[in-house]
Amino acid sequence: EGAADPRRLAVRGGSAGGWTAAASLVNTDRYACATILFPVLDLDGWSTEGTHDFESQYLESLIGPAAEVPERYRERAPINGTDRLTAPFLLLQGLDDLVCPPAQCDRFLAAIEGRGVPHAYITFEGEGHGFRRAETLIRALEAELSLYVQTFGIDRSDVPPLELGK
């Protein structure tokens, strides 16, 4: 409807919400930036080799059987839309995540390499799916705040800059 100014909108989410944030960035130009936490980025890889048994059939109820609708998995996976990604983003990942393994983030970042998309990738040793330690939560929130300060041009000299690579 045009009620919100896309230059002042951010999207954020973790796990399936991380998929939502990443999918939003590759499928729309509604957001100025995103924070993507321990996300599902590669639907094919996640459902076949990238998660533990408990979660492995989760996508079948949401998308359908992969063998019957493989095109849906390709269309809806953020990793397959990186050519449309232009907005800056922060990607946060626990290195011990068994639900959404870091390998998905590595493949996503490899797909945007050299495209000039501003981003930061911060990993946390000893963290799994969802962050638990106070120092991790503080670092993640400070980085997220810095992304928003930079993206939205907020005058906050007390917020350390987040280095955004391209």
Side-chain angles (χ1 to χ4, degrees), residues 65-133:
E68 293 176 24
V69 290
E71 69 285 348
R72 280 192 211 158
Y73 281 71
R74 282 189 297 280
E75 289 169 1
R76 296 179 185 182
I79 197 163
N80 295 326
T82 56
D83 59 319
R84 299 183 303 269
L85 182 61
T86 58
F89 66 92
L90 169 62
L91 183 55
L92 302 167
Q93 178 68 47
L95 291 176
D96 296 335
D97 190 340
L98 300 177
V99 177
C100 295
Q104 286 195 51
C105 293
D106 297 338
R107 290 192 300 268
F108 188 80
L109 294 171
I112 67 158
E113 190 171 329
R115 294 204 46 252
V117 178
H119 67 280
Y121 181 43
I122 302 173
T123 59
F124 298 98
E125 195 75 45
E127 290 283 9
H129 194 67
F131 303 144
R132 308 287 188 274
R133 292 188 283 189

Side-chain angles (χ1 to χ4, degrees), residues 17-29:
W19 172 85
T20 300
S24 293
L25 284 192
V26 302
N27 289 307
T28 74
D29 60 356

